[in-house]
Amino acid sequence: MKFKLTSIAAAIILSPATFAADMEDIERLTVKGKYLSVNQSNSIKSPTPIIDVPQSLSIITAEEITARGITSIGQIIDYAPGVNTSQGEGHRDSVVFRGVRSTADFYLDGNRDDVQYYRALYNVEQVEILRGPNALLFGRGGTGGILNRVSKKAKTSDKFVNYNVSANTFGAYNLQLDTNVDTGDKSALRINAMYESLDNHRDFFYGDRYGFNPTARFELSDDTIVDVSYEYIDHERFIDRGVPTANGEPVEAFEDIVFGDPENNYQTLGADVFRANVEHTFSDNLKGNFNAFYGDYDKVYSNFYAAGYNAETEQVTLDGYVDTTQRENMILSSNLVGEFETGSIGHTVIFGGEVINTKSNQDRYNPVFDSTDGDRETFNISRPLSFRGLTGTNAEGVTVTADFSDLNDDTHVDLDVYSFYVQDEIALSDNFDLVLGARFDSFDIEVFNADPEVLETRSRKDEEVSPRAGLVYKPQKNISIYASYSESFLPRSGEQYANINGDANALDPDTFTNQEIGVKWDFNDSMSFTAAIFENEQTSLDNDPNDPESFVEVDSDVSGFELQLQGYITDKWYITANYSNLDGENASGVELRELPENTMSVWTTYEVNEVFGFGIGATYQDESKVSTSASSPVLPSYTRVDASAYYTLSDKMRLQLNVENLTDTLYFPNAHSTHQVTVGAPINARLSLIGSF
């Protein structure tokens, strides 16, 4: 392996869940943290201890999410190594996994969750982040990593009602309910529900989120468990694309100005998601998992944003569009996990398959300004801009009106994917484990371009094999040293199944490879150290500028390392600290976008006594480029300090305070393009009442 490095390595981040008041809770969380999940719906699909997984990964549990006052995927990413956030145009989760930006590598109980939206956390048992290509278990995509949410399941022989009521200093508030009812000796019903009223530091920002998720469990026998679930999702929020840049960096003077239309920058999402899972134990050595998933999504995204900025005249050029997506995802998957021996060699074999049908209709309309007969218009910069409700006064003092009437694209997608995979975890000896596996994917897409000026259907079928190999050496039970190699691919239709017209119809998928070595060391039952060093390479085809009939390879490369120390220093004092170093460039030697060289974070909590405790942490992000170009503006480096405290009112109730950006730092955490840079939130606090009946 070759690596381009300037420092050394790291893997997993688990934020503390130290608001437990007794050692029983602490022990429960410690045991839970040794595995990827407490149920069979986990990212690696086998009950393998973390120390034996030849891959860098992260986990955060529901208890930790509550204790940290976390309400978004982005807040989890802030304290995870090797990943950072992207703006996502203000309407979706967007994660940069080791230099690869993704809007679709999200999973729910192992099922692809690729619609673009902000995911709620009210109904998750834990969130898992796996870094490096993950095609063997998840198929196409997963090129830099994946994020999997493990949902809460009903629990038999248990009754509880948990609640969480919180409000922050911006005026936002959140209500959550988690109740479980034992409906018989072998069945249970659990209901998770939430309502969130959104607000923040930016003008015009608003939003509401509803979530309702009943689940039921039926233990048909000692060997068979059935879980069924339905989730209703209803989200609406304001879209903020941030501020322009000048002289190579964000314009700080514009931190309070929203460059959009207060009435036509919005996103709505309605969704119905059904899941059913059957777990069956055939014997002591063979278990099966069979899963069905159906999601029906209807999304609208409307926005105006700064497409250009003139520093001399203090004028901004607005552009925009309205985009709709109607998508249905049907996923059927299953896997068998068997354990057996051949002589003195042990095997844990996973054999699985997946069938996916996706129907996705999407269209986009650009605005037409009556003053320019085009999709752009220039306005003087003021707070607020003179543009609201598709009407305003342009920079020349003329009243202008816009209308979303210019069809940009209208495509109807029908996608069929068939996959099967096999992986063998081979115990060669007490000290050596070998992991070998491969996945076959058949990706068949048909796209109808409904634009009246085009009206054509194109299709493409890709068949790919994605291998994985890993070697784990354990010099002693609490230490593992591993090396791994894995591959993934991304079809040219992209993450969101855009059209494959033009040259894209003839191009093979992008391919990604990952080489990684690492060490995991559990010092004792409550403290561990992890480290990883890696290199990810991307290869794609593009048109040869010197010969339109030919193609050339275009490569990019990201290498780096990650480090983490985490655990209990004493029974009352918990700490997690991590550092990552990333270096990436394309084939022309230009640094990749959204790739800070250094990121680090630390979080520590201390239990002062049985009723009171506090926590403090900081996250640092190095400067990074907004785009992959030599002249790209730069996001300045920043350090944000956060804090928390809790007071136990009774055995079943506690009061909790979480403070973000304690030093009130002005920072710009991410961007989408040159003149769309996110303004980080100033100091704010969230007060929560958390309890149970």
Side-chain angles (χ1 to χ4, degrees):
M1 298 184 217
K2 71 183 174 83
F3 295 97
K4 301 176 183 176
L5 303 173
T6 55
S7 320
I8 303 184
I12 73 178
I13 172 76
L14 290 102
S15 304
T18 55
F19 293 99
D22 54 53
M23 286 303 295
E24 180 179 348
D25 281 347
I26 292 174
E27 177 64 18
R28 178 171 59 88
L29 293 176
T30 299
V31 172
K32 185 188 230 179
K34 289 184 177 292
Y35 296 86
L36 286 178
S37 179
V38 293
N39 55 49
Q40 296 300 310
S41 179
N42 60 61
S43 294
I44 61 167
K45 303 185 189 296
S46 68
T48 304
I50 287 176
I51 197 169
D52 294 334
V53 177
Q55 184 173 8
S56 178
L57 55 94
S58 303
I59 301 171
I60 184 169
T61 65
E63 290 87 352
E64 295 167 311
I65 289 170
T66 299
R68 294 281 301 279
I70 290 173
T71 61
S72 69
I73 294 293
Q75 290 173 302
I76 294 175
I77 298 301
D78 284 344
Y79 279 85
V83 291
N84 51 285
T85 61
S86 185
Q87 185 190 90
E89 297 179 280
H91 71 101
R92 64 190 181 224
D93 291 319
S94 184
V95 180
V96 184
F97 296 95
R98 287 182 172 175
V100 181
R101 182 168 64 167
S102 176
T103 66
D105 290 319
F106 298 92
Y107 293 81
L108 176 60
D109 291 335
N111 296 290
R112 187 173 294 271
D113 178 30
D114 56 15
V115 176
Q116 297 179 333
Y117 68 107
Y118 285 109
R119 291 153 181 82
L121 301 173
Y122 73 103
N123 60 344
V124 301
E125 192 68 42
Q126 63 189 40
V127 175
E128 307 163 352
I129 302 171
L130 274 66
R131 286 176 285 277
N134 287 277
L136 186 140
L137 296 178
F138 295 96
R140 88 278 183 183
T143 51
I146 66 98
L147 186 148
N148 182 46
R149 291 176 295 147
V150 179
S151 66
K152 294 178 178 177
K153 308 295 192 301
K155 298 181 178 181
T156 57
S157 304
D158 199 359
K159 294 181 180 180
F160 56 80
V161 178
N162 299 326
Y163 63 87
N164 186 333
V165 180
S166 66
N168 71 16
T169 50
F170 295 129
Y173 58 91
N174 182 294
L175 310 172
Q176 294 184 22
L177 180 70
D178 179 7
T179 180
N180 190 88
V181 179
D182 189 358
T183 57
D185 293 340
K186 299 292 185 178
S187 63
L189 174 67
R190 186 171 186 173
I191 296 176
N192 279 272
M194 63 89 72
Y195 170 73
E196 184 176 13
S197 176
L198 303 172
D199 204 349
N200 72 6
H201 58 296
R202 302 281 283 165
D203 289 346
F204 315 121
F205 190 87
Y206 69 91
D208 297 280
R209 300 203 297 180
Y210 302 85
F212 178 66
N213 181 201
T215 68
R217 168 163 287 192
F218 305 95
E219 296 180 355
L220 302 184
S221 69
D222 292 341
D223 297 324
T224 306
I225 298 175
V226 177
D227 289 296
V228 293
S229 170
Y230 163 71
E231 183 177 11
Y232 170 72
I233 301 170
D234 187 339
H235 293 180
E236 181 178 7
R237 69 188 299 139
F238 182 78
I239 300 303
D240 180 10
R241 297 279 289 264
V243 301
T245 64
N247 301 317
E249 60 184 21
V251 183
E252 294 187 1
F254 297 159
E255 62 171 297
D256 295 323
I257 300 178
V258 173
F259 293 85
D261 181 346
E263 296 179 11
N264 287 280
N265 275 46
Y266 65 87
Q267 177 243 316
T268 62
L269 172 72
D272 298 282
V273 180
F274 300 86
R275 303 190 300 278
N277 189 77
V278 179
E279 296 176 18
H280 181 73
T281 301
F282 295 96
S283 68
D284 290 342
N285 299 320
L286 182 63
K287 297 181 180 180
N289 187 293
F290 311 91
N291 185 76
F293 177 98
Y294 173 77
D296 186 359
Y297 307 86
D298 188 354
K299 179 185 172 183
V300 178
Y301 169 44
S302 175
N303 72 123
F304 285 87
Y305 56 88
Y309 166 59
N310 189 320
E312 293 183 2
T313 61
E314 288 293 295
Q315 294 174 345
V316 64
T317 299
L318 294 188
D319 196 352
Y321 55 85
V322 59
D323 186 291
T324 70
T325 299
Q326 297 85 39
R327 184 171 299 170
E328 294 181 63
N329 284 340
M330 171 65 80
I331 304 172
L332 302 175
S333 62
S334 63
N335 66 74
L336 296 173
V337 180
E339 296 178 305
F340 61 92
E341 294 182 352
T342 54
S344 61
I345 298 176
H347 299 265
T348 300
V349 176
I350 307 171
F351 179 80
E354 186 174 56
V355 177
I356 299 176
N357 176 254
T358 294
K359 299 184 185 300
S360 186
N361 299 337
Q362 47 266 325
D363 59 56
R364 177 171 293 188
Y365 284 85
N366 295 329
V368 176
F369 286 91
D370 60 0
S371 53
T372 65
D373 199 30
D375 61 357
R376 297 191 176 195
E377 181 56 279
T378 301
F379 298 87
N380 292 320
I381 295 178
S382 60
R383 184 186 182 197
L385 294 179
S386 180
F387 184 65
R388 184 167 192 153
L390 298 177
T391 302
T393 302
N394 68 10
E396 297 179 357
V398 177
T399 299
V400 300
T401 301
D403 181 34
F404 290 111
S405 57
D406 177 26
L407 178 64
N408 185 78
D409 64 68
D410 184 0
T411 55
H412 302 176
V413 174
D414 194 348
L415 171 68
D416 289 300
V417 180
Y418 301 93
S419 310
F420 64 87
Y421 59 89
V422 61
Q423 176 180 279
D424 190 1
E425 299 175 15
I426 307 168
L428 300 174
S429 67
D430 291 340
N431 303 104
F432 280 99
D433 290 341
L434 177 65
V435 179
L436 295 174
R439 180 188 184 108
F440 170 80
D441 283 280
S442 172
F443 183 92
D444 191 352
I445 187 169
E446 180 179 274
V447 179
F448 171 60
N449 191 333
D451 185 336
E453 297 183 3
V454 181
L455 293 178
E456 69 170 359
T457 299
R458 293 205 179 198
S459 63
R460 179 177 174 88
K461 185 174 183 178
D462 292 302
E463 295 183 340
E464 297 287 334
V465 175
S466 303
R468 180 191 188 196
L471 181 65
V472 180
Y473 170 62
K474 299 184 72 174
Q476 54 192 56
K477 190 175 182 179
N478 62 328
I479 298 176
S480 68
I481 301 169
Y482 70 87
S484 67
Y485 174 86
S486 57
E487 293 183 5
S488 188
F489 72 98
L490 182 65
R492 283 310 179 99
S493 53
E495 297 177 331
Q496 297 300 324
Y497 319 120
N499 67 61
I500 52 175
N501 298 329
D503 295 331
N505 191 52
L507 298 178
D508 290 335
D510 292 350
T511 58
F512 298 78
T513 63
N514 176 72
Q515 302 167 84
E516 181 174 327
I517 58 176
V519 59
K520 301 177 182 181
W521 185 2
D522 294 337
F523 297 120
N524 50 47
D525 290 339
S526 59
M527 179 68 72
S528 65
F529 170 77
T530 59
I533 185 170
F534 62 88
E535 181 176 47
N536 291 346
E537 295 181 338
Q538 176 184 354
T539 301
S540 60
L541 291 178
D542 207 346
N543 290 105
D544 187 339
N546 301 315
D547 182 5
E549 300 299 322
S550 301
F551 303 101
V552 294
E553 282 193 0
V554 179
D555 299 332
S556 63
D557 180 274
V558 178
S559 58
F561 58 87
E562 306 161 351
L563 300 168
Q564 183 188 10
L565 177 72
Q566 59 135 29
Y568 288 93
I569 297 175
T570 70
D571 291 345
K572 299 178 181 293
W573 184 10
Y574 181 94
I575 187 170
T576 177
N578 67 79
Y579 168 77
S580 62
N581 179 282
L582 299 171
D583 178 32
E585 60 185 35
N586 63 15
S588 301
V590 178
E591 180 183 342
L592 299 179
R593 65 184 299 182
E594 299 181 301
L595 191 68
E597 180 179 358
N598 301 286
T599 58
M600 62 185 73
S601 65
V602 60
W603 181 264
T604 184
T605 58
Y606 187 75
E607 181 184 336
V608 177
N609 52 43
E610 293 183 355
V611 298
F612 176 71
F614 66 90
I616 190 165
T619 179
Y620 169 81
Q621 181 171 294
D622 214 342
E623 67 177 30
S624 61
K625 300 180 70 171
V626 173
S627 65
T628 303
S629 68
S631 59
S632 170
V634 171
L635 298 176
S637 62
Y638 70 88
T639 300
R640 194 188 74 215
V641 178
D642 305 322
S644 67
Y646 72 94
Y647 184 80
T648 302
L649 301 173
S650 69
D651 291 343
K652 295 186 176 182
M653 184 183 297
R654 77 169 182 266
L655 194 65
Q656 180 175 300
L657 178 68
N658 296 91
V659 181
E660 183 182 80
N661 197 1
L662 190 64
T663 58
D664 200 24
T665 299
L666 175 61
Y667 69 103
F668 303 92
N670 49 46
H672 180 71
S673 63
T674 298
H675 297 302
Q676 297 147 51
V677 177
T678 303
V679 181
I683 183 172
N684 63 96
R686 176 177 292 272
L687 186 64
S688 304
L689 184 64
I690 302 164
S692 62
F693 297 113

